[in-house]
Amino acid sequence: MVAAAALTAADPPPAMPQAAGSGGPTARRDFYWLRSFLAGGIAGCCAKTTVAPLDRVKVLLQAHNHHYKHLGVFSALRAVPQKEGYLGLYKGNGAMMIRIFPYGAIQFMAFEHYKMLITTKLGISGHVHRLMAGSMAGMTAVICTYPLDMVRVRLAFQVKGEHTYTGIIHAFKTIYAQEGGFLGFYRGLMPTILGMAPYAGVSFFTFGTLKSVGLSHAPTLLGRPSSDNPNVLVLKTHINLLCGGVAGAIAQTISYPFDVTRRRMQLGTVLPEFEKCLTMRDTMKYVYGHHGIRKGLYRGLSLNYIRCIPSQAVAFTTYELMKQFFHLN
């Protein structure tokens, strides 16, 4: 009985919060999704701010920026502040925050929605529905926020003294005017979606599975009652961080070549080999042919482990805390 209760508590259905007054079911439902949206957005912003310097260096290394292409991860982290000041490590982070709040909000909110939809409409439950819901949520969030990611990458790739774009608005205007209008903001969308489906799916699947298995087998050791609902068990904070980190590491290993391809396609005309990287296939072929697997398709992976593990750990942990703060359990 304890194991069954813990399993249920590990993956509770998103019951609508009760509200006083005569707002009715629709008002209560809207209020729930608004709080869910805020919880996901805050989780995303906290996660990305934590690893913003590593994100900047990752973009520089993935696309072989000529100022830093001869450097490794740690030497690049030292070189960027020397060349561009410490704020150089946060270049493009403004665009990242504008993007990541709706991205995190949509992803976490969509995950809960898809998970419930798959269970109730398709009758699929257990661990599989997390994998499906995570993949669908990741793709939904990517499509909705992709132009902001494009602009963020362009800004992050710039080096002090060689600016093509003066800011977020100028980057939007320039890309729209010079790269085919609205479609110019969706360069590299296909490898992004192909990479996001396994990344988000595996990430949510791994975290959800570790959470439910942990709470079912060792509820007292790993869990505690939720602050907003004592009947719901949640993981202790340090266990949350650990599970989120493991989930991020596994997901990144699977999807990383698509991430490298996406970055190069997003940079577009900024790179000298632009004409050789017009499609996903051409880009992967070019990167593999010129740089191989380790220094090409998986270049910067060690940095991605360093950045992704704390990022995912913070994201999942913050979201779990925000769920309690906004009374979503």
Side-chain angles (χ1 to χ4, degrees):
M1 285 295 290
V2 174
L7 257 177
T8 306
D11 209 2
M16 300 306 170
Q18 297 298 312
S22 55
T26 304
R28 291 199 297 272
R29 185 159 56 248
D30 290 343
F31 192 43
Y32 174 85
W33 290 119
L34 173 61
R35 291 186 293 174
S36 180
F37 187 87
L38 289 172
I42 292 169
C45 286
C46 289
K48 284 298 182 181
T49 302
T50 303
V51 296
L54 298 173
D55 266 330
R56 170 89 205 283
V57 170
K58 186 185 86 163
V59 171
L60 294 171
L61 294 182
Q62 279 184 330
H64 294 80
N65 184 287
H66 65 279
H67 289 281
Y68 303 105
K69 65 181 181 181
H70 59 289
L71 300 176
V73 172
F74 295 106
S75 50
L77 280 169
R78 290 193 299 269
V80 171
Q82 290 172 0
K83 184 174 180 60
E84 306 177 58
Y86 281 100
L87 288 179
L89 291 170
Y90 288 86
K91 188 171 287 184
N93 196 51
M96 170 63 85
M97 289 300 100
I98 293 171
R99 165 190 172 258
I100 205 61
F101 187 91
Y103 177 88
I106 291 168
Q107 186 181 40
F108 279 106
M109 189 175 69
F111 173 71
E112 300 288 354
H113 179 71
Y114 286 137
K115 189 172 64 172
M116 189 165 55
L117 193 68
I118 290 167
T119 305
T120 56
K121 300 294 184 184
L122 301 180
I124 300 173
S125 58
H127 301 310
V128 178
H129 78 304
R130 290 194 199 99
L131 184 63
M132 294 173 65
S135 297
M136 292 164 66
M139 289 188 287
T140 301
V142 159
I143 292 169
C144 291
T145 60
Y146 194 79
L148 290 167
D149 189 40
M150 164 79 81
V151 169
R152 197 274 303 187
V153 170
R154 294 288 181 95
L155 294 175
F157 190 71
Q158 296 183 138
V159 175
K160 188 176 182 180
E162 300 179 4
H163 285 193
T164 305
Y165 312 107
T166 57
I168 296 171
I169 302 299
H170 182 249
F172 268 108
K173 289 179 178 178
T174 306
I175 294 170
Y176 183 83
Q178 298 180 3
E179 300 186 34
F182 188 70
L183 290 177
F185 292 109
Y186 280 90
R187 278 184 53 81
L189 179 62
M190 187 54 67
T192 304
I193 289 176
L194 291 176
M196 180 52 67
Y199 173 74
V202 170
S203 185
F204 277 105
F205 169 79
T206 306
F207 179 81
T209 302
L210 289 173
K211 179 183 175 183
S212 65
V213 169
L215 289 179
S216 65
H217 287 86
T220 334
L221 180 65
L222 304 180
R224 61 175 177 80
S226 171
S227 60
D228 65 321
N229 186 351
N231 296 320
V232 172
L233 275 182
V234 295
L235 290 173
K236 293 176 180 176
T237 303
H238 64 286
I239 305 298
N240 245 320
L241 288 166
L242 179 62
C243 291
V246 171
I250 294 173
Q252 274 295 326
T253 304
I254 294 171
S255 63
Y256 195 75
F258 291 106
D259 192 41
V260 172
T261 304
R262 165 177 67 128
R263 292 297 183 217
R264 283 186 164 267
M265 292 185 72
Q266 283 179 329
L267 290 166
T269 54
V270 175
L271 297 177
E273 64 270 16
F274 163 65
E275 293 183 353
K276 298 175 183 177
C277 300
L278 295 175
T279 67
M280 184 182 78
R281 182 177 176 276
D282 289 344
T283 305
M284 281 190 155
K285 187 177 177 182
Y286 176 85
V287 173
Y288 175 74
H290 284 74
H291 305 290
I293 294 177
R294 190 172 66 86
K295 294 186 177 181
L297 293 175
Y298 276 92
R299 178 173 170 79
L301 180 61
S302 59
L303 171 62
N304 226 41
Y305 284 138
I306 297 170
R307 90 173 240 298
C308 181
I309 291 174
S311 175
Q312 287 297 91
V314 170
F316 280 115
T317 303
T318 306
Y319 183 63
E320 292 291 314
L321 292 173
M322 287 299 102
K323 281 172 70 177
Q324 296 173 62
F325 181 78
F326 287 114
H327 300 280
L328 296 174
N329 285 321

Coordinates of all heavy atoms in Angstrom, one line a residue, residues 248-316:
G248 N 19.3 15.1 -17.6 CA 19.9 16.0 -18.6 C 21.1 15.4 -19.3 O 21.2 15.6 -20.6
A249 N 21.9 14.7 -18.6 CA 23.1 14.1 -19.2 C 22.8 13.0 -20.2 O 23.3 13.0 -21.3 CB 24.0 13.5 -18.1
I250 N 21.8 12.2 -19.9 CA 21.4 11.1 -20.8 C 20.8 11.7 -22.1 O 21.1 11.3 -23.2 CB 20.5 10.1 -20.1 CG1 21.2 9.4 -19.0 CG2 19.9 9.1 -21.1 CD1 20.3 8.5 -18.1
A251 N 19.9 12.7 -21.9 CA 19.2 13.3 -23.0 C 20.2 14.0 -23.9 O 20.0 13.9 -25.2 CB 18.1 14.3 -22.5
Q252 N 21.1 14.7 -23.4 CA 22.1 15.5 -24.2 C 23.0 14.6 -25.1 O 23.2 14.9 -26.2 CB 23.0 16.3 -23.3 CG 22.4 17.7 -23.0 CD 22.2 18.6 -24.2 OE1 23.0 18.6 -25.1 NE2 21.2 19.4 -24.2
T253 N 23.4 13.5 -24.5 CA 24.3 12.5 -25.3 C 23.5 12.0 -26.5 O 24.1 11.9 -27.6 CB 24.6 11.3 -24.4 OG1 25.3 11.8 -23.2 CG2 25.6 10.4 -25.1
I254 N 22.3 11.7 -26.4 CA 21.5 11.2 -27.5 C 21.3 12.3 -28.6 O 21.4 12.0 -29.8 CB 20.1 10.7 -27.0 CG1 20.3 9.5 -26.1 CG2 19.2 10.3 -28.2 CD1 19.1 9.0 -25.4
S255 N 21.0 13.5 -28.2 CA 20.5 14.5 -29.2 C 21.6 15.5 -29.6 O 21.3 16.4 -30.4 CB 19.4 15.3 -28.6 OG 19.8 16.0 -27.4
Y256 N 22.8 15.4 -29.1 CA 23.8 16.4 -29.3 C 24.2 16.7 -30.8 O 24.3 17.9 -31.2 CB 25.1 16.1 -28.5 CG 26.0 17.3 -28.4 CD1 25.7 18.4 -27.5 CD2 27.2 17.5 -29.2 CE1 26.5 19.5 -27.4 CE2 28.0 18.6 -29.1 CZ 27.6 19.6 -28.2 OH 28.4 20.7 -28.1
P257 N 24.4 15.8 -31.7 CA 24.7 16.1 -33.1 C 23.7 17.0 -33.7 O 24.0 17.9 -34.5 CB 24.8 14.7 -33.7 CG 25.2 13.8 -32.7 CD 24.4 14.3 -31.4
F258 N 22.4 16.8 -33.4 CA 21.3 17.7 -33.9 C 21.5 19.1 -33.4 O 21.2 20.1 -34.1 CB 20.0 17.1 -33.5 CG 19.6 15.9 -34.2 CD1 19.6 14.7 -33.6 CD2 19.3 15.9 -35.6 CE1 19.3 13.5 -34.2 CE2 18.9 14.7 -36.2 CZ 18.9 13.5 -35.5
D259 N 22.0 19.2 -32.1 CA 22.2 20.6 -31.6 C 23.3 21.3 -32.3 O 23.2 22.5 -32.6 CB 22.5 20.4 -30.1 CG 22.5 21.7 -29.3 OD1 21.6 22.5 -29.6 OD2 23.4 22.0 -28.5
V260 N 24.4 20.6 -32.6 CA 25.5 21.2 -33.4 C 25.0 21.7 -34.7 O 25.3 22.8 -35.2 CB 26.7 20.2 -33.5 CG1 27.7 20.8 -34.5 CG2 27.3 19.9 -32.1
T261 N 24.3 20.8 -35.4 CA 23.7 21.1 -36.7 C 22.8 22.3 -36.7 O 22.9 23.2 -37.5 CB 22.9 19.9 -37.3 OG1 23.8 18.8 -37.3 CG2 22.4 20.2 -38.7
R262 N 22.0 22.4 -35.7 CA 21.0 23.5 -35.5 C 21.8 24.8 -35.3 O 21.4 25.8 -35.9 CB 20.2 23.3 -34.3 CG 19.4 24.5 -33.8 CD 18.5 24.2 -32.6 NE 19.2 23.8 -31.4 CZ 19.0 24.4 -30.2 NH1 18.2 25.4 -30.1 NH2 19.7 24.0 -29.1
R263 N 22.8 24.8 -34.5 CA 23.6 26.1 -34.2 C 24.2 26.6 -35.5 O 24.1 27.8 -35.8 CB 24.7 25.8 -33.2 CG 24.2 25.5 -31.8 CD 23.4 26.7 -31.2 NE 23.0 26.4 -29.9 CZ 21.9 26.8 -29.3 NH1 21.0 27.5 -30.1 NH2 21.6 26.6 -28.1
R264 N 24.8 25.7 -36.3 CA 25.4 26.2 -37.6 C 24.4 26.7 -38.5 O 24.6 27.7 -39.2 CB 26.2 25.0 -38.2 CG 27.5 24.8 -37.5 CD 28.4 23.7 -38.2 NE 29.8 23.8 -37.7 CZ 30.7 24.6 -38.2 NH1 30.5 25.3 -39.3 NH2 31.9 24.6 -37.7
M265 N 23.2 26.1 -38.6 CA 22.2 26.5 -39.5 C 21.6 27.9 -39.1 O 21.3 28.7 -39.9 CB 21.1 25.5 -39.7 CG 21.6 24.2 -40.4 SD 20.3 23.0 -40.7 CE 19.3 23.9 -42.0
Q266 N 21.5 28.0 -37.8 CA 21.0 29.3 -37.2 C 21.9 30.4 -37.5 O 21.4 31.6 -37.8 CB 20.8 29.1 -35.7 CG 19.5 28.4 -35.3 CD 19.4 28.2 -33.8 OE1 20.4 28.2 -33.1 NE2 18.2 28.2 -33.3
L267 N 23.2 30.2 -37.4 CA 24.2 31.3 -37.7 C 24.2 31.7 -39.1 O 24.5 32.9 -39.4 CB 25.6 30.8 -37.2 CG 25.7 30.7 -35.7 CD1 27.0 30.0 -35.3 CD2 25.7 32.1 -35.1
G268 N 23.8 30.8 -40.0 CA 23.6 31.2 -41.4 C 24.7 32.0 -42.1 O 25.9 31.6 -42.1
T269 N 24.4 33.2 -42.5 CA 25.3 34.0 -43.3 C 26.5 34.5 -42.4 O 27.4 35.1 -43.0 CB 24.6 35.3 -43.9 OG1 23.9 36.0 -42.8 CG2 23.5 34.8 -44.9
V270 N 26.4 34.4 -41.1 CA 27.5 34.8 -40.3 C 28.7 34.0 -40.5 O 29.9 34.4 -40.3 CB 27.0 34.8 -38.8 CG1 28.2 35.1 -37.9 CG2 25.9 35.7 -38.5
L271 N 28.5 32.7 -40.9 CA 29.6 31.8 -41.1 C 30.1 31.8 -42.6 O 29.3 31.9 -43.5 CB 29.2 30.3 -40.8 CG 28.8 30.1 -39.3 CD1 28.3 28.6 -39.2 CD2 29.9 30.4 -38.4
P272 N 31.4 31.7 -42.8 CA 32.0 31.7 -44.2 C 31.5 30.5 -45.0 O 31.4 30.6 -46.2 CB 33.5 31.7 -43.9 CG 33.7 31.2 -42.6 CD 32.5 31.6 -41.8
E273 N 31.2 29.4 -44.4 CA 30.8 28.2 -45.1 C 29.3 28.1 -45.2 O 28.7 27.1 -45.4 CB 31.3 26.9 -44.4 CG 30.8 26.7 -43.0 CD 31.6 27.3 -41.9 OE1 32.4 28.2 -42.2 OE2 31.4 26.9 -40.8
F274 N 28.6 29.3 -45.2 CA 27.2 29.4 -45.2 C 26.5 28.6 -46.3 O 25.6 27.8 -46.2 CB 26.8 30.9 -45.3 CG 25.3 31.1 -45.7 CD1 24.3 30.7 -44.9 CD2 25.1 31.7 -46.9 CE1 23.0 30.9 -45.3 CE2 23.8 31.9 -47.3 CZ 22.7 31.5 -46.5
E275 N 27.1 28.7 -47.6 CA 26.5 28.1 -48.7 C 26.6 26.6 -48.7 O 25.9 25.9 -49.5 CB 27.1 28.6 -50.0 CG 26.7 30.1 -50.2 CD 27.3 30.7 -51.5 OE1 28.0 29.9 -52.2 OE2 27.0 31.8 -51.9
K276 N 27.5 26.0 -47.9 CA 27.6 24.6 -47.8 C 26.8 24.0 -46.7 O 26.7 22.8 -46.5 CB 29.1 24.2 -47.5 CG 30.1 24.7 -48.6 CD 31.5 24.4 -48.2 CE 32.5 24.9 -49.3 NZ 33.9 24.7 -48.9
C277 N 26.0 24.8 -46.0 CA 25.2 24.4 -44.8 C 23.8 24.9 -45.0 O 23.2 25.4 -44.0 CB 25.9 24.8 -43.5 SG 27.5 24.2 -43.3
L278 N 23.2 24.7 -46.1 CA 21.9 25.2 -46.3 C 20.8 24.3 -45.8 O 19.7 24.7 -45.4 CB 21.6 25.5 -47.8 CG 22.5 26.6 -48.5 CD1 22.2 26.7 -50.0 CD2 22.2 28.0 -47.8
T279 N 21.1 23.0 -45.8 CA 20.1 22.0 -45.4 C 20.7 21.2 -44.2 O 21.9 21.2 -44.0 CB 19.7 21.0 -46.5 OG1 20.8 20.2 -46.8 CG2 19.2 21.7 -47.7
M280 N 19.9 20.5 -43.5 CA 20.3 19.7 -42.3 C 21.3 18.6 -42.8 O 22.4 18.5 -42.2 CB 19.1 19.0 -41.6 CG 19.5 18.3 -40.4 SD 18.1 17.4 -39.6 CE 17.9 16.0 -40.7
R281 N 21.0 18.0 -43.9 CA 21.9 16.9 -44.4 C 23.2 17.5 -44.8 O 24.3 16.9 -44.5 CB 21.2 16.2 -45.6 CG 22.0 15.1 -46.2 CD 21.2 14.4 -47.3 NE 22.0 13.4 -48.0 CZ 22.9 13.6 -48.9 NH1 23.1 14.8 -49.4 NH2 23.6 12.6 -49.5
D282 N 23.2 18.6 -45.6 CA 24.5 19.2 -46.0 C 25.3 19.7 -44.8 O 26.5 19.6 -44.8 CB 24.2 20.4 -46.9 CG 23.6 20.0 -48.3 OD1 23.8 18.8 -48.6 OD2 23.1 20.9 -49.0
T283 N 24.7 20.2 -43.8 CA 25.4 20.7 -42.6 C 26.0 19.6 -41.9 O 27.2 19.7 -41.5 CB 24.4 21.5 -41.7 OG1 23.7 22.5 -42.4 CG2 25.2 22.1 -40.5
M284 N 25.3 18.5 -41.7 CA 25.9 17.4 -41.0 C 27.0 16.8 -41.8 O 28.1 16.4 -41.2 CB 24.8 16.3 -40.7 CG 23.9 16.6 -39.6 SD 22.9 15.2 -39.2 CE 22.5 15.5 -37.4
K285 N 26.9 16.7 -43.1 CA 27.9 16.2 -44.0 C 29.1 17.0 -43.9 O 30.3 16.6 -43.9 CB 27.4 16.1 -45.4 CG 28.3 15.4 -46.4 CD 27.6 15.3 -47.7 CE 28.6 14.6 -48.7 NZ 27.9 14.6 -50.1
Y286 N 28.9 18.4 -43.9 CA 30.1 19.3 -43.9 C 30.8 19.2 -42.6 O 32.1 19.1 -42.5 CB 29.6 20.7 -44.1 CG 30.7 21.8 -43.9 CD1 31.5 22.1 -45.0 CD2 30.9 22.4 -42.7 CE1 32.5 23.0 -44.9 CE2 31.9 23.3 -42.5 CZ 32.7 23.6 -43.7 OH 33.8 24.5 -43.5
V287 N 30.1 19.2 -41.5 CA 30.7 19.1 -40.1 C 31.5 17.8 -40.0 O 32.6 17.8 -39.5 CB 29.7 19.3 -39.0 CG1 30.3 19.0 -37.6 CG2 29.0 20.7 -39.1
Y288 N 30.9 16.7 -40.4 CA 31.5 15.4 -40.3 C 32.7 15.3 -41.2 O 33.8 14.8 -40.8 CB 30.5 14.3 -40.6 CG 31.1 12.9 -40.6 CD1 31.5 12.3 -39.4 CD2 31.4 12.2 -41.8 CE1 32.1 11.0 -39.4 CE2 32.0 11.0 -41.8 CZ 32.3 10.4 -40.6 OH 32.9 9.2 -40.6
G289 N 32.6 15.8 -42.4 CA 33.7 15.7 -43.4 C 34.9 16.6 -43.0 O 36.1 16.2 -43.2
H290 N 34.7 17.8 -42.4 CA 35.8 18.7 -42.1 C 36.3 18.5 -40.6 O 37.5 18.8 -40.4 CB 35.3 20.1 -42.3 CG 35.3 20.5 -43.7 ND1 34.3 20.1 -44.6 CD2 36.1 21.3 -44.4 CE1 34.5 20.6 -45.8 NE2 35.6 21.4 -45.7
H291 N 35.5 18.0 -39.7 CA 35.9 18.0 -38.3 C 35.7 16.6 -37.7 O 36.2 16.4 -36.5 CB 35.1 19.0 -37.5 CG 35.2 20.4 -38.1 ND1 36.4 21.2 -38.0 CD2 34.3 21.2 -38.7 CE1 36.2 22.3 -38.6 NE2 34.9 22.4 -39.0
G292 N 35.0 15.7 -38.4 CA 34.9 14.3 -37.8 C 33.8 14.3 -36.7 O 32.9 15.2 -36.6
I293 N 33.8 13.2 -36.0 CA 32.7 13.1 -34.9 C 33.1 13.8 -33.6 O 32.3 14.6 -33.2 CB 32.5 11.6 -34.7 CG1 31.9 10.9 -35.9 CG2 31.5 11.4 -33.5 CD1 31.7 9.4 -35.8
R294 N 34.2 13.5 -33.1 CA 34.6 14.0 -31.8 C 34.8 15.6 -31.8 O 34.3 16.3 -31.0 CB 35.9 13.4 -31.3 CG 36.2 13.7 -29.8 CD 37.4 12.9 -29.3 NE 38.6 13.2 -30.0 CZ 39.4 14.2 -29.6 NH1 39.1 15.0 -28.6 NH2 40.5 14.4 -30.3
K295 N 35.5 16.1 -32.9 CA 35.7 17.5 -33.0 C 34.7 18.2 -33.8 O 34.8 19.4 -34.1 CB 37.1 17.7 -33.5 CG 38.2 17.3 -32.6 CD 39.6 17.6 -33.1 CE 40.7 17.2 -32.2 NZ 42.1 17.6 -32.7
G296 N 33.7 17.5 -34.3 CA 32.7 18.1 -35.1 C 31.3 17.9 -34.6 O 30.8 18.8 -33.9
L297 N 30.7 16.8 -34.8 CA 29.3 16.5 -34.4 C 29.2 16.5 -32.8 O 28.1 16.7 -32.3 CB 28.8 15.2 -35.0 CG 28.7 15.2 -36.5 CD1 28.3 13.8 -37.0 CD2 27.6 16.2 -36.9
Y298 N 30.3 16.2 -32.2 CA 30.2 16.2 -30.7 C 31.2 17.2 -30.1 O 31.5 17.1 -28.9 CB 30.6 14.8 -30.1 CG 29.4 13.9 -30.2 CD1 29.1 13.0 -31.2 CD2 28.5 13.8 -29.1 CE1 28.0 12.2 -31.3 CE2 27.4 13.0 -29.1 CZ 27.1 12.2 -30.2 OH 26.0 11.4 -30.2
R299 N 31.5 18.2 -30.8 CA 32.4 19.3 -30.3 C 31.7 20.1 -29.2 O 30.6 20.5 -29.4 CB 32.9 20.2 -31.4 CG 33.7 21.4 -30.9 CD 34.3 22.2 -32.1 NE 34.9 23.4 -31.7 CZ 36.1 23.5 -31.2 NH1 36.9 22.4 -31.1 NH2 36.6 24.7 -30.9
G300 N 32.3 20.2 -28.1 CA 31.7 21.0 -27.0 C 30.8 20.1 -26.1 O 30.2 20.6 -25.2
L301 N 30.8 18.8 -26.3 CA 29.9 17.9 -25.5 C 30.3 17.9 -24.0 O 29.5 17.9 -23.2 CB 29.9 16.5 -26.0 CG 29.1 15.5 -25.3 CD1 27.6 15.9 -25.3 CD2 29.2 14.1 -25.8
S302 N 31.7 17.9 -23.8 CA 32.1 18.0 -22.4 C 31.6 19.2 -21.7 O 31.1 19.2 -20.6 CB 33.6 17.9 -22.3 OG 34.2 19.0 -23.0
L303 N 31.6 20.4 -22.4 CA 31.0 21.6 -21.9 C 29.5 21.4 -21.7 O 28.9 21.9 -20.7 CB 31.3 22.8 -22.9 CG 30.6 24.1 -22.6 CD1 31.0 24.6 -21.2 CD2 30.8 25.1 -23.6
N304 N 28.9 20.7 -22.6 CA 27.4 20.5 -22.5 C 27.1 19.7 -21.3 O 26.0 20.0 -20.7 CB 26.9 19.9 -23.8 CG 25.6 20.6 -24.2 OD1 25.6 21.8 -24.2 ND2 24.6 19.9 -24.7
Y305 N 27.9 18.8 -20.9 CA 27.7 18.0 -19.7 C 27.8 19.0 -18.5 O 26.9 19.0 -17.6 CB 28.7 16.9 -19.5 CG 28.4 15.7 -20.4 CD1 29.4 15.0 -21.0 CD2 27.1 15.2 -20.5 CE1 29.2 13.9 -21.8 CE2 26.9 14.1 -21.3 CZ 27.9 13.4 -22.0 OH 27.7 12.3 -22.8
I306 N 28.8 19.8 -18.5 CA 29.1 20.7 -17.4 C 27.9 21.7 -17.3 O 27.5 22.1 -16.2 CB 30.4 21.5 -17.6 CG1 31.6 20.5 -17.6 CG2 30.6 22.6 -16.5 CD1 32.9 21.2 -18.1
R307 N 27.3 22.1 -18.4 CA 26.2 23.1 -18.4 C 24.9 22.5 -18.3 O 24.0 23.0 -17.6 CB 26.3 24.0 -19.6 CG 25.5 23.6 -20.8 CD 25.4 24.5 -22.0 NE 24.1 24.8 -22.3 CZ 23.1 24.0 -22.6 NH1 23.3 22.7 -22.7 NH2 21.9 24.5 -22.9
C308 N 24.7 21.3 -18.9 CA 23.4 20.7 -19.0 C 23.0 20.1 -17.7 O 21.8 20.1 -17.3 CB 23.3 19.7 -20.1 SG 21.7 18.9 -20.3
I309 N 23.9 19.4 -17.0 CA 23.6 18.7 -15.8 C 23.0 19.7 -14.7 O 22.0 19.5 -14.2 CB 24.8 17.9 -15.3 CG1 25.0 16.7 -16.2 CG2 24.5 17.4 -13.8 CD1 26.2 15.9 -15.9
P310 N 23.8 20.8 -14.4 CA 23.2 21.8 -13.5 C 22.0 22.5 -14.0 O 21.0 22.8 -13.2 CB 24.3 22.8 -13.2 CG 25.3 22.6 -14.4 CD 25.2 21.2 -14.8
S311 N 21.9 22.7 -15.3 CA 20.8 23.4 -15.9 C 19.5 22.6 -15.7 O 18.4 23.1 -15.3 CB 21.0 23.7 -17.4 OG 19.8 24.2 -18.0
Q312 N 19.5 21.3 -16.1 CA 18.4 20.5 -15.9 C 18.0 20.2 -14.5 O 16.9 20.1 -14.1 CB 18.6 19.1 -16.7 CG 18.5 19.2 -18.2 CD 17.2 19.6 -18.7 OE1 16.9 20.8 -18.8 NE2 16.3 18.7 -18.9
A313 N 19.1 20.1 -13.7 CA 18.9 19.9 -12.2 C 18.1 21.1 -11.6 O 17.1 20.9 -10.9 CB 20.2 19.7 -11.5
V314 N 18.6 22.3 -12.0 CA 17.9 23.5 -11.5 C 16.5 23.7 -12.1 O 15.6 24.0 -11.3 CB 18.8 24.8 -11.8 CG1 18.0 26.1 -11.5 CG2 20.1 24.8 -11.0
A315 N 16.3 23.3 -13.4 CA 15.0 23.5 -14.0 C 14.0 22.6 -13.3 O 12.9 23.0 -12.9 CB 15.1 23.1 -15.5
F316 N 14.3 21.3 -13.2 CA 13.3 20.4 -12.6 C 13.1 20.7 -11.1 O 12.0 20.6 -10.6 CB 13.8 18.9 -12.7 CG 13.5 18.3 -14.1 CD1 14.5 18.0 -14.9 CD2 12.2 18.1 -14.5 CE1 14.3 17.4 -16.2 CE2 11.9 17.6 -15.8 CZ 13.0 17.2 -16.6

